[in-house]
PDB file of all heavy atoms in Angstrom:
ATOM      1  N   ALA O  41     -16.219   7.804  36.191  1.00  0.00           N
ATOM      2  CA  ALA O  41     -15.340   6.641  36.134  1.00  0.00           C
ATOM      3  C   ALA O  41     -13.930   7.026  35.701  1.00  0.00           C
ATOM      4  O   ALA O  41     -12.954   6.396  36.109  1.00  0.00           O
ATOM      5  CB  ALA O  41     -15.923   5.601  35.175  1.00  0.00           C
ATOM      6  N   ARG O  42     -13.821   8.065  34.871  1.00  0.00           N
ATOM      7  CA  ARG O  42     -12.508   8.535  34.442  1.00  0.00           C
ATOM      8  C   ARG O  42     -11.692   9.032  35.644  1.00  0.00           C
ATOM      9  O   ARG O  42     -10.474   8.911  35.683  1.00  0.00           O
ATOM     10  CB  ARG O  42     -12.661   9.642  33.398  1.00  0.00           C
ATOM     11  CG  ARG O  42     -11.357  10.049  32.730  1.00  0.00           C
ATOM     12  CD  ARG O  42     -11.571  11.135  31.692  1.00  0.00           C
ATOM     13  NE  ARG O  42     -12.392  10.668  30.575  1.00  0.00           N
ATOM     14  CZ  ARG O  42     -13.582  11.132  30.284  1.00  0.00           C
ATOM     15  NH1 ARG O  42     -14.130  12.090  31.025  1.00  0.00           N
ATOM     16  NH2 ARG O  42     -14.257  10.662  29.254  1.00  0.00           N
ATOM     17  N   ARG O  43     -12.406   9.580  36.644  1.00  0.00           N
ATOM     18  CA  ARG O  43     -11.730  10.106  37.835  1.00  0.00           C
ATOM     19  C   ARG O  43     -11.656   9.074  38.965  1.00  0.00           C
ATOM     20  O   ARG O  43     -10.856   9.236  39.891  1.00  0.00           O
ATOM     21  CB  ARG O  43     -12.473  11.348  38.347  1.00  0.00           C
ATOM     22  CG  ARG O  43     -12.498  12.509  37.373  1.00  0.00           C
ATOM     23  CD  ARG O  43     -13.117  13.752  38.022  1.00  0.00           C
ATOM     24  NE  ARG O  43     -14.529  13.535  38.348  1.00  0.00           N
ATOM     25  CZ  ARG O  43     -15.539  13.860  37.554  1.00  0.00           C
ATOM     26  NH1 ARG O  43     -15.289  14.399  36.360  1.00  0.00           N
ATOM     27  NH2 ARG O  43     -16.791  13.643  37.927  1.00  0.00           N
ATOM     28  N   ASP O  44     -12.475   8.030  38.878  1.00  0.00           N
ATOM     29  CA  ASP O  44     -12.577   7.057  39.967  1.00  0.00           C
ATOM     30  C   ASP O  44     -12.280   5.650  39.434  1.00  0.00           C
ATOM     31  O   ASP O  44     -13.162   4.977  38.892  1.00  0.00           O
ATOM     32  CB  ASP O  44     -13.981   7.107  40.561  1.00  0.00           C
ATOM     33  CG  ASP O  44     -14.134   6.201  41.775  1.00  0.00           C
ATOM     34  OD1 ASP O  44     -13.233   5.382  42.030  1.00  0.00           O
ATOM     35  OD2 ASP O  44     -15.163   6.314  42.464  1.00  0.00           O
ATOM     36  N   PRO O  45     -11.031   5.171  39.566  1.00  0.00           N
ATOM     37  CA  PRO O  45     -10.673   3.845  39.031  1.00  0.00           C
ATOM     38  C   PRO O  45     -11.540   2.712  39.588  1.00  0.00           C
ATOM     39  O   PRO O  45     -11.872   1.779  38.856  1.00  0.00           O
ATOM     40  CB  PRO O  45      -9.211   3.682  39.455  1.00  0.00           C
ATOM     41  CG  PRO O  45      -8.698   5.088  39.588  1.00  0.00           C
ATOM     42  CD  PRO O  45      -9.863   5.876  40.117  1.00  0.00           C
ATOM     43  N   GLU O  46     -11.906   2.780  40.868  1.00  0.00           N
ATOM     44  CA  GLU O  46     -12.737   1.709  41.440  1.00  0.00           C
ATOM     45  C   GLU O  46     -14.085   1.635  40.735  1.00  0.00           C
ATOM     46  O   GLU O  46     -14.599   0.552  40.436  1.00  0.00           O
ATOM     47  CB  GLU O  46     -12.936   1.960  42.937  1.00  0.00           C
ATOM     48  CG  GLU O  46     -11.662   1.829  43.767  1.00  0.00           C
ATOM     49  CD  GLU O  46     -11.210   0.383  43.906  1.00  0.00           C
ATOM     50  OE1 GLU O  46     -12.023  -0.517  43.596  1.00  0.00           O
ATOM     51  OE2 GLU O  46     -10.066   0.161  44.309  1.00  0.00           O
ATOM     52  N   LEU O  47     -14.668   2.808  40.459  1.00  0.00           N
ATOM     53  CA  LEU O  47     -15.949   2.849  39.744  1.00  0.00           C
ATOM     54  C   LEU O  47     -15.794   2.292  38.336  1.00  0.00           C
ATOM     55  O   LEU O  47     -16.639   1.526  37.860  1.00  0.00           O
ATOM     56  CB  LEU O  47     -16.470   4.282  39.699  1.00  0.00           C
ATOM     57  CG  LEU O  47     -17.732   4.536  38.846  1.00  0.00           C
ATOM     58  CD1 LEU O  47     -18.886   3.676  39.333  1.00  0.00           C
ATOM     59  CD2 LEU O  47     -18.096   6.007  38.870  1.00  0.00           C
ATOM     60  N   ASP O  48     -14.703   2.651  37.667  1.00  0.00           N
ATOM     61  CA  ASP O  48     -14.470   2.153  36.308  1.00  0.00           C
ATOM     62  C   ASP O  48     -14.302   0.636  36.305  1.00  0.00           C
ATOM     63  O   ASP O  48     -14.806  -0.062  35.419  1.00  0.00           O
ATOM     64  CB  ASP O  48     -13.228   2.831  35.717  1.00  0.00           C
ATOM     65  CG  ASP O  48     -13.106   2.628  34.216  1.00  0.00           C
ATOM     66  OD1 ASP O  48     -14.151   2.532  33.537  1.00  0.00           O
ATOM     67  OD2 ASP O  48     -11.967   2.569  33.722  1.00  0.00           O
ATOM     68  N   GLY O  49     -13.614   0.103  37.323  1.00  0.00           N
ATOM     69  CA  GLY O  49     -13.465  -1.342  37.432  1.00  0.00           C
ATOM     70  C   GLY O  49     -14.804  -2.035  37.620  1.00  0.00           C
ATOM     71  O   GLY O  49     -15.068  -3.095  37.029  1.00  0.00           O
ATOM     72  N   ARG O  50     -15.696  -1.444  38.450  1.00  0.00           N
ATOM     73  CA  ARG O  50     -17.027  -2.034  38.646  1.00  0.00           C
ATOM     74  C   ARG O  50     -17.852  -1.957  37.366  1.00  0.00           C
ATOM     75  O   ARG O  50     -18.637  -2.862  37.058  1.00  0.00           O
ATOM     76  CB  ARG O  50     -17.748  -1.312  39.789  1.00  0.00           C
ATOM     77  CG  ARG O  50     -17.104  -1.548  41.153  1.00  0.00           C
ATOM     78  CD  ARG O  50     -18.075  -1.230  42.300  1.00  0.00           C
ATOM     79  NE  ARG O  50     -18.495   0.164  42.301  1.00  0.00           N
ATOM     80  CZ  ARG O  50     -17.835   1.152  42.903  1.00  0.00           C
ATOM     81  NH1 ARG O  50     -16.697   0.893  43.539  1.00  0.00           N
ATOM     82  NH2 ARG O  50     -18.301   2.379  42.889  1.00  0.00           N
ATOM     83  N   LEU O  51     -17.665  -0.870  36.606  1.00  0.00           N
ATOM     84  CA  LEU O  51     -18.363  -0.748  35.319  1.00  0.00           C
ATOM     85  C   LEU O  51     -17.981  -1.879  34.375  1.00  0.00           C
ATOM     86  O   LEU O  51     -18.830  -2.424  33.658  1.00  0.00           O
ATOM     87  CB  LEU O  51     -18.038   0.592  34.665  1.00  0.00           C
ATOM     88  CG  LEU O  51     -18.908   1.793  35.002  1.00  0.00           C
ATOM     89  CD1 LEU O  51     -18.373   3.032  34.308  1.00  0.00           C
ATOM     90  CD2 LEU O  51     -20.349   1.543  34.607  1.00  0.00           C
ATOM     91  N   SER O  52     -16.698  -2.238  34.352  1.00  0.00           N
ATOM     92  CA  SER O  52     -16.242  -3.298  33.444  1.00  0.00           C
ATOM     93  C   SER O  52     -16.894  -4.629  33.809  1.00  0.00           C
ATOM     94  O   SER O  52     -17.289  -5.405  32.933  1.00  0.00           O
ATOM     95  CB  SER O  52     -14.717  -3.409  33.469  1.00  0.00           C
ATOM     96  OG  SER O  52     -14.253  -3.919  34.710  1.00  0.00           O
ATOM     97  N   VAL O  53     -17.014  -4.894  35.108  1.00  0.00           N
ATOM     98  CA  VAL O  53     -17.650  -6.140  35.550  1.00  0.00           C
ATOM     99  C   VAL O  53     -19.134  -6.130  35.186  1.00  0.00           C
ATOM    100  O   VAL O  53     -19.679  -7.130  34.675  1.00  0.00           O
ATOM    101  CB  VAL O  53     -17.464  -6.323  37.068  1.00  0.00           C
ATOM    102  CG1 VAL O  53     -18.267  -7.533  37.554  1.00  0.00           C
ATOM    103  CG2 VAL O  53     -15.989  -6.501  37.409  1.00  0.00           C
ATOM    104  N   LEU O  54     -19.796  -5.009  35.414  1.00  0.00           N
ATOM    105  CA  LEU O  54     -21.225  -4.900  35.109  1.00  0.00           C
ATOM    106  C   LEU O  54     -21.469  -5.040  33.606  1.00  0.00           C
ATOM    107  O   LEU O  54     -22.439  -5.688  33.181  1.00  0.00           O
ATOM    108  CB  LEU O  54     -21.752  -3.559  35.609  1.00  0.00           C
ATOM    109  CG  LEU O  54     -23.277  -3.354  35.579  1.00  0.00           C
ATOM    110  CD1 LEU O  54     -23.977  -4.428  36.390  1.00  0.00           C
ATOM    111  CD2 LEU O  54     -23.630  -1.966  36.094  1.00  0.00           C
ATOM    112  N   ALA O  55     -20.580  -4.454  32.791  1.00  0.00           N
ATOM    113  CA  ALA O  55     -20.712  -4.564  31.338  1.00  0.00           C
ATOM    114  C   ALA O  55     -20.602  -6.019  30.898  1.00  0.00           C
ATOM    115  O   ALA O  55     -21.410  -6.513  30.090  1.00  0.00           O
ATOM    116  CB  ALA O  55     -19.638  -3.717  30.654  1.00  0.00           C
ATOM    117  N   PHE O  56     -19.612  -6.731  31.442  1.00  0.00           N
ATOM    118  CA  PHE O  56     -19.458  -8.130  31.049  1.00  0.00           C
ATOM    119  C   PHE O  56     -20.664  -8.961  31.477  1.00  0.00           C
ATOM    120  O   PHE O  56     -21.162  -9.784  30.708  1.00  0.00           O
ATOM    121  CB  PHE O  56     -18.182  -8.719  31.647  1.00  0.00           C
ATOM    122  CG  PHE O  56     -18.104 -10.194  31.457  1.00  0.00           C
ATOM    123  CD1 PHE O  56     -17.733 -10.722  30.222  1.00  0.00           C
ATOM    124  CD2 PHE O  56     -18.474 -11.070  32.468  1.00  0.00           C
ATOM    125  CE1 PHE O  56     -17.717 -12.091  30.012  1.00  0.00           C
ATOM    126  CE2 PHE O  56     -18.453 -12.434  32.269  1.00  0.00           C
ATOM    127  CZ  PHE O  56     -18.075 -12.953  31.040  1.00  0.00           C
ATOM    128  N   ARG O  57     -21.122  -8.765  32.701  1.00  0.00           N
ATOM    129  CA  ARG O  57     -22.257  -9.562  33.173  1.00  0.00           C
ATOM    130  C   ARG O  57     -23.517  -9.313  32.348  1.00  0.00           C
ATOM    131  O   ARG O  57     -24.303 -10.229  32.108  1.00  0.00           O
ATOM    132  CB  ARG O  57     -22.512  -9.264  34.651  1.00  0.00           C
ATOM    133  CG  ARG O  57     -21.463  -9.883  35.579  1.00  0.00           C
ATOM    134  CD  ARG O  57     -21.676  -9.475  37.017  1.00  0.00           C
ATOM    135  NE  ARG O  57     -20.742 -10.171  37.897  1.00  0.00           N
ATOM    136  CZ  ARG O  57     -20.500  -9.816  39.153  1.00  0.00           C
ATOM    137  NH1 ARG O  57     -21.136  -8.766  39.677  1.00  0.00           N
ATOM    138  NH2 ARG O  57     -19.642 -10.501  39.878  1.00  0.00           N
ATOM    139  N   THR O  58     -23.682  -8.060  31.897  1.00  0.00           N
ATOM    140  CA  THR O  58     -24.824  -7.758  31.030  1.00  0.00           C
ATOM    141  C   THR O  58     -24.719  -8.546  29.730  1.00  0.00           C
ATOM    142  O   THR O  58     -25.712  -9.106  29.243  1.00  0.00           O
ATOM    143  CB  THR O  58     -24.869  -6.253  30.735  1.00  0.00           C
ATOM    144  OG1 THR O  58     -24.997  -5.533  31.963  1.00  0.00           O
ATOM    145  CG2 THR O  58     -26.051  -5.915  29.829  1.00  0.00           C
ATOM    146  N   ALA O  59     -23.508  -8.591  29.161  1.00  0.00           N
ATOM    147  CA  ALA O  59     -23.308  -9.339  27.916  1.00  0.00           C
ATOM    148  C   ALA O  59     -23.496 -10.827  28.138  1.00  0.00           C
ATOM    149  O   ALA O  59     -24.088 -11.524  27.299  1.00  0.00           O
ATOM    150  CB  ALA O  59     -21.913  -9.056  27.372  1.00  0.00           C
TER     151      ALA O  59
END
Side-chain angles (χ1 to χ4, degrees):
R42 189 179 295 115
R43 298 186 295 266
D44 184 349
E46 293 288 346
L47 173 58
D48 194 32
R50 293 199 298 273
L51 272 177
S52 69
V53 173
L54 190 57
F56 171 78
R57 286 175 175 165
T58 300

